[in-house]
Amino acid sequence: MSSENADAGREPEESSSVPQESSVWDVVVVGAGPAGASAAYAAAVAGRRVLLLEKADIPRYKTCGGGIIGFSRDSLPPGFELPLKDRIHAVTFSLNGKLSRTRRSRRMLFGLINRPEFDAGLVEEAQKAGAELRTGATVTRVEQHGPAVPDRRTVAVVLAGGETLLARAVVGADGSAGRIGAHVGVKLDQVDLGLEAEIPVPGTVAEDWAGRVLIDWGPMPGSYGWVFPKGDTLTVGVISARGDGAGTKRYLEDFVGRLGLAGFEPTISSGHLTRCRSDDSPLSRGRVVVCGDAAGLLEPWTREGISFALRSGRLAGEWAVRIAESHDAVDARRQALNYAFAIKAGLGVEMSVGRRMLRLFERRPGILHAVLTGFRPAWNAFAGITRGTTSLAELVRSHPLAQRALHAMDRQGTDRVSPRP
């Protein structure tokens, strides 16, 4: 039996106590970040009764650079107005503080947002579409068989305090350490530590950064840092493989110091673990599907996750509607497997190429830096990815030279330079 739907053949027998239709939600979405809000919107637009659960109050802070690339913009609800803090037309690349070079573009490369406003706006769109929001709701578990489940078509969502909600389908979007991913059995093979500071700066400093970001290839294998300007605040962060937290912290401190920002007090300093799924990790179990961080869906090289959250969330919401409409376990299983196929055929391919790019970057960061700063077609490719006119996977498929470079790296070995716990 496929691991994508391990509960398909062992749902409970019909109970004599059948719930009233009005007491059963068509779709319950757990988590109101970009993935969950997108899933709730997609299911609500289809005319289904949708409940969106969030354990925190909205808006709430999330550790995130806040870059909105073309694929993210294309995945937003129609008419959604991005709360952009800046529009980026230039990128400065450096190699651990050295060999800096700035590349510019007449057209906008990508936009920058603050997550609290962005996420709240997406939730509002889901509510306008008909979804009901409930904050302060912590999910402790989901059950697909047992006394809490009244029939074959129902999933029980149990909240802290013991309240039980019933649904025809559940979408897990509660983050990489959430309950729903654990229920599905999501497996992770890359974990990274990101550290970030929100640093208010004087107008003269903010003006110097307006419209330009910095990307610094870091001292540890696979690490890099960034500066994202958002008006009078700079979002400064670094990311590297989990396992050397002290080294990652030193990198951030050194990074902030050489930027001349050490004298400014951050309003927020935070950390976050990003987790990528393994290729064989399930995306569903019974009538439950996962998306976004809960599914381990993000780009392995850059660890960009917003576009993956928006795209996978929309697909999860659409397929959850089909699962909710399924009258037996066989059809529910079919719909869940179709969702998994849609994810793997699109985002899965991008992740596969991203993993290979990460291996190349870990071994040869200087080569990538030289290519991006000195080879115009590489810069044009970077610009195309940020604008959403192409993807990393499409570039590799269409450029034999890129394919040969990645194959050469594959022949050198597939192990990570730094073991991933």
Side-chain angles (χ1 to χ4, degrees):
M1 181 179 295
S2 170
S3 62
E4 292 293 351
N5 210 307
D7 280 357
R10 54 185 180 89
E11 292 190 59
E13 294 300 321
E14 295 283 358
S15 168
S16 59
S17 176
V18 179
Q20 297 294 319
E21 285 296 323
S22 61
S23 67
V24 181
W25 296 92
D26 293 321
V27 178
V28 168
V29 181
V30 183
S38 296
Y41 174 85
V45 162
R48 299 301 180 265
R49 293 183 68 242
V50 180
L51 178 62
L52 178 58
L53 301 175
E54 169 59 43
K55 64 182 179 180
D57 292 329
I58 294 176
R60 76 281 189 268
Y61 180 80
K62 288 287 185 180
T63 305
C64 178
I68 301 294
I69 62 175
F71 285 124
S72 296
R73 294 194 300 269
D74 294 343
S75 301
L76 295 170
F80 183 83
E81 293 188 13
L82 277 167
L84 292 180
K85 294 300 181 182
D86 205 342
R87 292 170 169 81
I88 301 306
H89 289 80
V91 180
T92 298
F93 296 98
S94 63
L95 185 63
N96 197 21
K98 303 174 183 177
L99 304 175
S100 295
R101 183 173 182 183
T102 300
R103 306 301 301 260
R104 301 183 184 275
S105 171
R106 292 181 180 178
R107 295 170 54 200
M108 186 179 83
L109 297 167
F110 58 96
L112 297 177
I113 52 91
N114 284 327
R115 280 289 301 276
E117 299 169 70
F118 179 67
D119 291 11
L122 290 174
V123 169
E124 184 177 348
E125 291 295 324
Q127 290 177 287
K128 289 179 182 177
E132 182 175 321
L133 172 67
R134 183 170 170 183
T135 58
T138 300
V139 174
T140 60
R141 66 184 186 278
V142 293
E143 297 180 4
Q144 301 196 63
H145 55 88
V149 183
D151 61 44
R152 292 174 179 269
R153 295 183 58 208
T154 307
V155 180
V157 180
V158 183
L159 305 183
E163 181 183 357
T164 298
L165 305 170
L166 301 179
R168 300 300 184 204
V170 171
V171 176
D174 53 341
S176 59
R179 302 283 186 176
I180 313 302
H183 173 80
V184 167
V186 173
K187 295 184 289 184
L188 307 165
D189 67 359
Q190 177 185 328
V191 183
D192 296 280
L193 171 63
L195 300 178
E196 193 169 76
E198 303 287 348
I199 305 178
V201 294
T204 53
V205 177
E207 183 179 351
D208 182 57
W209 285 98
R212 177 176 65 95
V213 301
L214 168 64
I215 297 177
D216 177 75
W217 313 119
M220 297 172 287
S223 67
Y224 75 95
W226 62 88
V227 178
F228 284 1
K230 300 171 184 176
D232 60 0
T233 297
L234 301 180
T235 298
V236 182
V238 301
I239 194 165
S240 67
R242 184 183 68 173
D244 186 6
T248 306
K249 184 178 180 182
R250 281 196 303 273
Y251 177 27
L252 178 60
E253 292 172 348
D254 293 344
F255 187 45
V256 170
R258 67 173 179 249
L259 291 169
L261 301 174
F264 304 114
E265 186 69 25
T267 55
I268 298 175
S269 296
S270 61
H272 177 66
L273 293 177
T274 65
R275 298 173 171 92
C276 289
R277 69 188 297 272
S278 59
D279 283 334
D280 62 343
S281 179
L283 291 163
S284 67
R285 178 179 176 184
R287 291 177 175 267
V288 179
V289 299
V290 287
C291 59
D293 286 347
L297 292 167
L298 70 156
E299 203 285 299
W301 176 31
T302 63
R303 291 79 152 188
E304 190 278 323
I306 294 179
S307 74
F308 278 66
L310 293 169
R311 288 182 283 173
S312 65
R314 185 187 70 247
L315 289 171
E318 292 170 353
W319 289 106
V321 168
R322 295 174 171 87
I323 293 170
E325 294 171 344
S326 300
H327 289 282
D328 57 52
V330 173
D331 190 37
R333 179 173 188 264
R334 182 185 303 114
Q335 303 302 339
L337 289 173
N338 285 338
Y339 166 68
F341 177 80
I343 290 292
K344 293 174 182 177
L347 300 180
V349 173
E350 293 183 33
M351 290 186 71
S352 178
V353 175
R355 288 188 182 96
R356 297 167 73 187
M357 285 299 298
L358 178 59
R359 290 198 295 270
L360 173 60
F361 173 55
E362 287 177 326
R363 290 178 170 82
R364 301 288 188 269
I367 291 177
L368 278 175
H369 178 71
V371 169
L372 271 174
T373 57
F375 188 49
R376 178 162 290 278
W379 164 249
N380 291 339
F382 175 90
I385 292 172
T386 60
R387 294 191 187 108
T389 58
T390 188
S391 70
L392 193 58
E394 290 170 349
L395 284 170
V396 170
R397 283 196 296 263
S398 60
H399 288 76
L401 182 61
Q403 293 177 18
R404 289 198 294 271
L406 288 180
H407 287 319
M409 290 305 302
D410 287 341
R411 287 196 296 272
Q412 293 182 26
T414 58
D415 291 338
R416 301 294 308 270
V417 172
S418 299
R420 297 279 175 169

